[in-house]
C-alpha cells in the first residue's frame, strides 16, 4: 500500500517572489484570461501598457499580523520581492509594499489605497479570506490580482493563485503512484483546511479511477499530532 502524507510546504521566499514577478509580466498582456478561461464571463478590461511604460506593482503582505508565523512569512515575501526586483534589473517595474496586518478588512483598505496611488497590478495577499476581500475592490477597476493563497476557492475572474493547490498536488502524486503499480492508497493528512483540500483531491483521483483509497486519517498539526 502507498501512504500519502500531506503537510503545508512553502517555496523559498526568493523563488516565490521571482515567480510572482514572472507571472506579473505575463499577466500584463491585453486579453489575458482568468482561472475560469471562459470567454463569455462578464469582464472588466484591465489596463494595457505601451513599450517603455512603467508598471506599478502593489505587494499586499501581513507584516504586522498578530500571528507571528504569518508576519514572518509576510516579511520574507517582501524581502524576496525586493531581491527579485534587484536581480531582474527591470526598469519598467516599480514595487510598492502595503501591510495588511493579516486582516481581510485591512487588506481591502490597503488595496483601495494602492489602486488610488496608481497600482497597475496587485501581488498578494497571502491568505484566501484577504484575497476574496481584495478581489471585491480590484475587480470593478479591472486590476489583476496574483494571490499567494493555496485555497482554490479564492480564484476568480481576474484573480490568479501562485501557490501550489493541494487538490492538484494530491492528484498528481496519486497519478504517479498508480503509474508505479501502487493502486491502493492510505491518506494521512493534517486536520486543517489545507489537509481537507488534499483529501478532496485524493478522493477526486479515486473517482477518476487513478487509485483506491483503502483508509484515511487526520492528525493535529505538530510533532505530537503526527506521533
Amino acid at each position: 500500500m502507498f501512504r500519502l502524507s500531506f503537510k503545508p510546504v512553502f517555496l523559498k521566499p526568493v523563488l516565490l517572489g521571482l515567480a510572482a514577478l514572472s507571472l506579473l509580466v505575463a499577466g500584463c498582456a491585453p486579453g489575458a484570461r482568468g482561472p475560469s478561461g471562459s470567454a463569455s464571463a462578464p469582464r472588466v478590461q484591465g489596463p494595457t501598457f505601451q513599450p517603455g511604460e512603467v508598471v506599478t506593482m502593489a505587494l499586499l503582505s501581513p507584516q504586522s499580523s498578530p500571528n507571528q508565523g504569518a508576519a514572518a512569512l509576510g516579511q520574507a515575501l517582501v524581502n524576496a520581492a525586493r531581491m527579485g526586483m534587484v536581480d531582474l534589473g527591470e526598469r519598467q517595474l516599480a514595487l510598492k509594499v502595503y501591510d495588511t496586518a493579516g486582516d481581510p478588512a485591512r487588506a481591502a483598505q490597503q488595496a483601495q489605497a494602492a489602486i488610488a496611488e496608481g497600482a497597475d497590478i496587485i501581488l498578494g495577499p497571502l491568505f484566501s479570506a484577504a484575497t476574496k476581500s481584495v478581489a471585491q475592490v480590484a475587480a470593478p477597476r479591472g486590476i489583476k490580482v496574483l494571490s499567494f493563497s493555496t485555497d482554490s476557492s479564492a480564484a476568480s475572474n481576474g484573480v490568479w493563485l501562485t501557490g501550489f493547490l493541494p487538490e492538484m498536488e494530491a492528484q498528481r502524486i496519486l497519478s504517479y503512484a498508480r503509474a508505479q503499480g501502487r493502486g491502493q492508497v492510505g491518506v494521512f493528512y493534517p486536520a486543517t483546511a489545507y489537509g481537507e483540500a488534499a483529501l478532496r483531491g485524493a478522493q477526486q483521483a479515486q473517482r477518476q479511477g487513478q487509485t483506491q483509497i483503502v483508509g484515511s486519517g487526520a492528525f493535529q498539526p505538530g510533532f505530537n499530532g503526527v506521533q
Side-chain angles (χ1 to χ4, degrees):
M1 183 178 73
F2 184 82
R3 177 178 293 177
L4 179 60
S5 176
F6 284 97
K7 62 180 180 179
V9 177
F10 293 104
L11 290 175
K12 290 182 179 180
V14 171
L15 295 179
L16 186 58
L18 290 175
L21 293 174
S22 298
L23 285 171
L24 165 67
V25 175
C28 287
R33 293 173 181 263
S36 66
S38 173
S40 60
R43 297 180 57 81
V44 175
Q45 178 62 47
T48 58
F49 306 97
Q50 301 299 322
E53 184 178 354
V54 175
V55 176
T56 301
M57 303 176 295
L59 174 60
L60 304 187
S61 173
Q63 297 163 270
S64 64
S65 170
N67 182 315
Q68 293 184 354
L73 184 56
Q75 185 59 56
L77 289 172
V78 172
N79 295 341
R82 286 173 173 163
M83 290 175 64
M85 293 289 290
V86 173
D87 290 343
L88 286 174
E90 177 56 72
R91 296 183 178 180
Q92 289 184 240
L93 299 177
L95 178 69
K96 293 184 178 181
V97 177
Y98 297 83
D99 185 1
T100 68
D103 178 66
R106 180 173 171 80
Q109 293 172 355
Q110 292 291 65
Q112 288 178 326
I115 294 171
E117 293 173 8
D120 297 305
I121 194 164
I122 293 175
L123 305 183
L126 182 58
F127 301 113
S128 60
T131 298
K132 294 174 183 178
S133 294
V134 168
Q136 295 178 1
V137 174
R141 301 291 299 274
I143 303 298
K144 308 305 181 185
V145 178
L146 301 180
S147 170
F148 301 122
S149 173
T150 59
D151 182 355
S152 59
S153 70
S156 62
N157 197 12
V159 177
W160 283 262
L161 305 184
T162 63
F164 286 119
L165 302 184
E167 298 96 329
M168 296 179 65
E169 183 182 7
Q171 292 180 39
R172 289 296 298 272
I173 292 174
L174 292 181
S175 176
Y176 174 79
R178 182 69 176 180
Q180 299 301 308
R182 304 298 182 95
Q184 293 185 318
V185 175
V187 182
F188 187 49
Y189 62 97
T192 63
Y194 185 99
E196 293 287 348
L199 177 61
R200 290 195 298 272
Q203 292 169 338
Q204 177 65 26
Q206 178 174 247
R207 288 192 292 271
Q208 294 173 350
Q210 294 181 17
T211 190
Q212 178 186 359
I213 299 176
V214 296
S216 63
F219 62 89
Q220 293 301 315
F223 178 79
N224 291 335
V226 174
Q227 290 294 94

